Amino acid sequence: MIENINSSLPKFLRTGGEIGQIINDKNWDNHPLGTPENWPISLKIALTNIFNTAFPMLILWGKDSICFYNQAFRPSLGV
């Protein structure tokens, strides 16, 4: 399991490492998904699952295919 980096993050983002922090720091107020605290439970569970694996994973969420990924997937993006 990836170590918590900030206990003030919503619980489902805590094991996301740097990616969880980036998601938390984004201003979601005017985004179609709204704030992370109000996201569907199915998205929160999916993110928790990908954050808790060392295997590179991403999720394309909703009709707009909003992309979420874990730390292991970052090198695939050239980041």
Side-chain angles (χ1 to χ4, degrees):
M1 180 184 295
I2 300 171
E3 192 174 314
N4 293 351
I5 63 165
N6 186 342
S7 61
S8 67
L9 294 176
K11 188 173 182 179
F12 73 98
L13 294 177
R14 290 182 189 165
T15 58
E18 186 179 351
I19 302 298
Q21 188 69 53
I22 290 168
I23 291 170
N24 187 68
D25 291 347
K26 177 177 172 44
N27 182 350
W28 293 94
D29 292 339
N30 296 318
H31 193 278
L33 278 178
T35 59
E37 293 82 9
N38 297 317
W39 289 353
I41 190 70
S42 52
L43 176 56
K44 293 177 182 181
I45 291 169
L47 289 172
T48 299
N49 288 336
I50 70 166
F51 291 153
N52 283 303
T53 182
F55 188 79
M57 295 183 78
L58 70 88
I59 296 170
L60 297 175
W61 187 263
K63 64 181 171 97
D64 296 326
S65 296
I66 300 165
C67 182
F68 294 97
Y69 53 87
N70 63 5
Q71 189 68 32
F73 192 81
R74 271 185 110 174
S76 302
L77 301 171
V79 180

